[in-house]
Amino acid sequence: MGLDEITGGGLPRGRVSLVCGGPGAGKSLLALQFLVHGITEHGEAGVFASFEETAEELAKNTGSLGWDVPGLVERGQLAVEHIRVDRGELTAAGEYDLEALFIRLGHAIDSVDAKRVAIDSVEALFGGLGDNALLRYELRRLFGWLKDHGVTTIVTAEGNARELSRHGLEEYVSDCVILLDQRIRDENSTRRMRIVKYRGSAH
């Protein structure tokens, strides 16, 4: 996997990495490839938590790449969680509450003994949250929960070449931040990957 070469060994184990980029940059594909590669090359089961695509849609959208998502799920190597975000359910007594999400993620991780997790995309979870202080607190809580479970995680977020993410998430993923970019110049499309931050690496 080319990402392993660019980062000098891959993503930080047991920590959360943020993958930013605009629409069509390849964030979801990178996140799923990270899980498929972990299963096929390292024997590490994974969880794909999606706020947009169902398991069926994910299988159809990636079938042309040769990834047998249904087969991985059937063999208990991959768990796909499609999470429908309901603002009313996330708000308890006037406060934002992620406990239901933690329960679902925890169950999915335990069901396949996952070592890798991908969350796509965090914008769907926090996009309508206007309180920046609360947003940062909940992000810190989510990332802390993932670290406590010892899973190596990719979290995707909407961004562009000028802003890594809409909410300044890069401040709270101190270990690794990856920016994906797609640019068109002279009718030629070029995809780029930039490692913005990676502590503890030779990168």
Side-chain angles (χ1 to χ4, degrees), residues 31 34 41 80 89 93 137 140 152 162 198 200:
F34 161 71
E41 300 297 325
V80 178
E89 293 178 1
Y137 171 79
R140 191 178 293 114
T152 305
R162 295 179 181 176
Y198 195 150

Side-chain angles (χ1 to χ4, degrees), residues 36-87:
V36 173
H37 184 78
I39 294 168
T40 58
E41 300 297 325
H42 302 285
E44 296 183 349
V47 171
F48 190 87
S50 172
F51 298 104
E52 299 173 358
E53 295 177 296
T54 65
E56 293 76 15
E57 291 170 337
L58 192 66
K60 289 180 181 178
N61 294 339
T62 59
S64 62
L65 299 172
W67 299 339
D68 181 17
V69 172
L72 297 177
V73 172
E74 186 177 342
R75 290 190 292 273
Q77 297 171 300
L78 176 68
V80 178
E81 282 288 317
H82 175 242
I83 302 172
R84 183 180 61 85
V85 177
D86 185 327
R87 298 288 170 205

Side-chain angles (χ1 to χ4, degrees), residues 50 96 100 166:
S50 172
Y96 208 67
R166 293 179 184 174

Side-chain angles (χ1 to χ4, degrees), residues 20 30 37 52 59 61 69-70 74 85-86 91 96 109-110 113 154 159 164 181 184 201:
C20 310
L30 176 60
H37 184 78
E52 299 173 358
N61 294 339
V69 172
E74 186 177 342
V85 177
D86 185 327
T91 305
Y96 208 67
I109 291 170
D110 291 342
D113 191 22
I154 281 183
L164 294 180
D181 185 20
I184 298 178
S201 167

